[in-house]
Amino acid sequence: MIRFRKAAVIFTTAVLLIFCVTENIRGEEKSGNISSSGEIIFLLDTSASMNAQDRDREAIDAIRQAVYSLPSDYRVGLVAYNTDIQTVIVPGTPAAQMEEMLAGITYTGYTNAGEGLAQAVGLFSESGASDRCIVMLTDGEIDMPDSRAREASRALYSEAALQARERGVRMYIVAIGTELSDPRLHIFDGAEVTDGAIYWEGQSGSLSGIMRRILEERLSLPGAPLAAGGAGSAMPSESAGNAFAAGGSGHAPSEISTVVLNAAIPKGASRVRLAITSEEGIGGAQAGQAQVITGQHFAVVEAVRPPAGTLSVSYQTPDPASAQAWMIPEYDVVPTISAAYRIEELSRSEKEIKRNVPPEFEHYADLELTLVDVSGADSKNAAGDLSGEVSQDLSGNAAGKGANIWEDERFEGMEVSFTVNGTPYTGTIQGGSIFLTLRAEALETVTAAVSMADDGAVYRIREADPVRIEKFPDPEFEPLPDYRPLIAILCALAACLAGLFAFWMGKRTTVIYMAPSPSGDGTKTAARAGEYSGKLNMYVVRNADGKDIPPQTYRLFGRRARRLTLGQILTSCGIKFDKIGADDIILYPGPDHAVIVMDQSEGCTVMRGMEILKKGMGYPVYYNGKITVSFDDEETEMELHYRNLKPGEREEL
């Protein structure tokens, strides 16, 4: 076994504290859903010391577990290094060839991690994938046959780590065995430089468990966790005693149990990947027609175009309760949008209708957005880089192609972000669709893009073609007959008649019954309408609600000689009473600057001075005279003081 040397460069105390946290993991947790391709390169230490630290080749088994558990659009590669580069598996290598290359790996030689990391960084593409990382599995510090070669490897390692950071690549280092206990070793510098993390075998779990944690915690591996084992799911089998040997598990064959896992397959999935892991070992996995990839501690079922329903997987494990499972549905979809053109007439006022003002219209496009499966049975398996050859189409046809995946009940009520013609919106799936209404005056075509934020699946959403809105013209306007010339003539005639009537009213003689005066006999008196003079000072003595009403003045002088009611006068002064008789108290202009007051009400009491006015008879009131009115409600009373106008008040008119 190669001896491990202590790091030549000692990290600062702060760095030491970072590496010695109790969780033995550093780096920022990543969150979110994998909805686009990522790139991961495995960097495997194959030096001679690994013969002792990894006798059962569980490091290679953990790599296979991760490769087959990843979504199919991930680009996966591997670099195996010892004194030199032993094996390079470039992304896109067929699965059968990858398996052959992994089987040929041997543990021998020294630990040239510098050259290995440089090769791994070079395998990344320039596409800028959302997830780019290196998972390094090693049991020792950088070590070469002589000090010069060792320092050169260390320098190259540091340089390659800086290049990885510049390209957005993080390093997750898995320390294998018991030798790597000092976090200050130079080999760990890669995780520090790239803001990655370190996992120690045993302290952070088994290699299988660590690999699962990296996928879940660091790459946010999507998928729904399933109940893989435990009470009620493990079914012991009498013939299971010699089913398999759980490598290194230490369990006797008689302890092995058979477990059946039933997983619901969602509608419209282009492929489903179901992964089961157990640190105690897994064997004998079967899944009907689907092919299964197995290792010492994992089984992965990959089904292409599976029909909706239930996928049953059986497997054997010494400890069903320790098994964990999750399923990754993958969808190849395209947003489809339908647009219904609609015209709404804006309301017009009666005046506009009469004037034959043409109506205005608003134009709308009622959009319905769906997400349709476009994979089909002949679709290219995006997992062609490593795992594609083990995929199997369970449906045998393209029956699901064109199905709206949102019709699956699990999407009902889900909020989805999308854009229409580049403008962002958020909608809720209802009955398999998202509905949106837009103004369509300047809208000719619509293009939709959808972003699914679902932690339970992977979506490859293709670009949709624009959809043209089929428009139709506004309704033709049929104007009403134009009666305006006739109306103008009629209005002119009415004006003439009104003028003649006004002239006649101004000249006519008003005949009223006058009350007896000290010198009169009370007979009917004919009097020509005079001119109003003076003013009325009005005081509300009391009213029904008890509120104070300020005194008001109403000018009679200069008004047209016509019949006035007390109700009209009060209204013009802003005094509003209920119908309590004010409209039945009448004022006329009289001779000698008098105002003739007549009470035609039923319940009011009107007094001139101390004299009660008889109903239906006129009483002249001269300057400085006073009229007192008690209204029908018997609660409201007011006084009217008739006064002459001062010369200055006349000039203001």
Side-chain angles (χ1 to χ4, degrees), residues 162-223:
L162 291 174
Q163 291 178 357
R165 183 180 65 183
E166 292 173 359
R167 301 184 65 175
V169 177
R170 295 187 181 187
M171 286 187 66
Y172 303 114
I173 299 177
V174 181
I176 300 174
T178 59
E179 298 292 335
L180 286 178
S181 59
D182 189 347
R184 297 171 299 175
L185 295 178
H186 184 270
I187 196 70
F188 293 143
D189 194 25
E192 170 66 18
V193 171
T194 62
D195 195 22
I198 299 174
Y199 295 81
W200 277 271
E201 182 186 12
Q203 193 172 2
S204 300
S206 67
L207 292 181
S208 173
I210 290 173
M211 196 62 68
R212 179 180 52 78
R213 289 181 61 188
I214 290 175
L215 297 187
E216 291 181 353
E217 299 172 359
R218 304 300 174 176
L219 301 183
S220 297
L221 183 71

Side-chain angles (χ1 to χ4, degrees), residues 284-308:
Q286 297 180 354
Q289 298 181 14
Q291 282 189 294
V292 182
I293 307 99
T294 60
Q296 298 178 44
H297 297 278
F298 75 92
V300 174
V301 179
E302 184 179 2
V304 178
R305 300 287 313 149

Side-chain angles (χ1 to χ4, degrees), residues 344-541:
E344 284 190 5
E345 179 180 344
L346 298 178
S347 60
R348 292 181 295 164
S349 65
E350 292 184 4
K351 184 177 180 181
E352 290 175 330
I353 294 174
K354 292 177 180 179
R355 293 175 56 191
N356 278 330
V357 176
E360 295 183 357
F361 298 92
E362 288 185 344
H363 308 83
Y364 297 96
D366 296 322
L367 308 181
E368 181 178 359
L369 184 65
T370 57
L371 203 59
V372 174
D373 172 35
V374 292
S375 58
D378 57 347
S379 63
K380 181 183 182 296
N381 183 7
D385 58 343
L386 300 184
S387 60
E389 292 188 359
V390 299
S391 302
Q392 179 174 344
D393 189 342
L394 295 186
S395 63
N397 54 62
K401 186 175 181 180
N404 176 17
I405 69 167
W406 283 349
E407 291 180 351
D408 194 311
E409 61 181 9
R410 82 182 190 91
F411 293 103
E412 186 68 19
M414 179 184 293
E415 285 194 354
V416 175
S417 298
F418 63 97
T419 63
V420 174
N421 291 359
T423 302
Y425 299 93
T426 299
T428 301
I429 299 174
Q430 296 178 344
S433 302
I434 292 176
F435 300 93
L436 177 69
T437 296
L438 298 178
R439 296 287 294 271
E441 284 83 358
L443 209 59
E444 298 296 333
T445 60
V446 289
T447 303
V450 174
S451 176
M452 293 290 291
D454 180 7
D455 291 337
V458 172
Y459 300 90
R460 285 177 289 274
I461 304 177
R462 303 184 187 179
E463 184 176 351
D465 295 329
V467 175
R468 178 170 294 277
I469 299 176
E470 298 296 333
K471 296 185 176 181
F472 46 84
D474 294 346
E476 293 186 3
F477 174 60
E478 296 182 0
L480 297 173
D482 190 358
Y483 296 110
R484 285 178 296 177
L486 178 60
I487 293 174
I489 295 173
L490 293 176
C491 288
L493 291 174
C496 292
L497 292 174
L500 292 174
F501 179 76
F503 178 78
W504 175 76
M505 289 293 293
K507 296 296 183 179
R508 74 189 182 113
T509 299
T510 302
V511 179
I512 59 175
Y513 284 101
M514 297 294 294
S517 63
S519 59
D521 56 3
T523 59
K524 182 184 296 185
T525 301
R528 183 178 297 276
E531 299 291 336
Y532 277 115
S533 180
K535 61 182 178 180
L536 292 175
N537 292 335
M538 296 177 290
Y539 305 90
V540 179
V541 178

